[in-house]
Amino acid sequence: MATLFHLIFMIFMIFQTIDGQRIVTAGGGDCKVSSFGGKRVCSGAIIKTYKTPTPRVLVCENGKIRLKLKKLVPPNAPKANSGGDCEWYGQVYCDQDLIKDLHQWWFLRRCSKGRIYTLARSLQDVLEDPRYQGNLV
């Protein structure tokens, strides 16, 4: 029975990487970008691409804007202000981000087209989590 759940979990994880979703932790930080009129962008978003002999990009990373080599940035990194971003508890998340909240760990949140949706984790996933300390009775 446990192997069936592990198989389903592995298929889910493969689907996530194919689907292009990013799993982010709540409270990871976003950046305020003056070139976008002071708007905030989500963590991990590409702000600007520079076409130089070694291509570089400006990326928002945990609340700080950093210049990185393009080859070091994940290929599924979102573009800043591409639409569909969500704001939740004062932080901006990219469209299709899967948000792990450490205070409400038995749920996941998904940002989709400007709205936050709540997703319940499976019972098996909750029971196997080390933070679970109760019983079901």
Side-chain angles (χ1 to χ4, degrees):
M1 188 70 165
T3 57
L4 176 64
F5 287 113
H6 291 298
L7 178 64
I8 292 171
F9 179 73
M10 292 300 293
I11 290 171
F12 177 72
M13 292 305 289
I14 291 170
F15 178 72
Q16 277 187 332
T17 55
I18 291 171
D19 194 23
Q21 295 178 14
R22 298 177 326 130
I23 299 176
V24 296
T25 305
D30 53 15
C31 302
K32 189 173 183 178
V33 182
S34 58
S35 62
F36 291 143
K39 289 186 178 180
R40 295 185 341 223
V41 298
C42 56
S43 183
I46 296 174
I47 299 167
K48 186 173 182 177
T49 303
Y50 295 100
K51 296 179 181 176
T52 58
T54 54
R56 297 178 187 272
V57 291
L58 273 181
V59 179
C60 173
E61 220 176 55
N62 297 324
K64 296 181 181 175
I65 298 174
R66 300 187 189 276
L67 184 64
K68 297 178 90 175
L69 289 173
K70 189 171 184 175
K71 65 182 178 181
L72 298 178
V73 177
N76 66 339
K79 306 286 186 250
N81 289 336
S82 59
D85 292 350
C86 307
E87 185 172 342
W88 188 56
Y89 286 109
Q91 182 176 341
V92 176
Y93 295 95
C94 296
D95 190 31
Q96 298 305 314
D97 274 356
L98 197 58
I99 306 160
K100 290 172 60 175
D101 185 0
L102 298 178
H103 299 290
Q104 296 179 355
W105 56 268
W106 50 93
F107 291 108
L108 296 172
R109 308 289 192 276
R110 173 175 289 150
C111 170
S112 179
K113 298 178 184 171
R115 296 188 63 188
I116 296 284
Y117 296 94
T118 301
L119 306 171
R121 292 172 61 189
S122 70
L123 176 62
Q124 185 69 27
D125 198 19
V126 171
L127 292 175
E128 290 175 355
D129 196 297
R131 293 172 284 193
Y132 179 73
Q133 296 180 6
N135 56 21
L136 295 176
V137 179

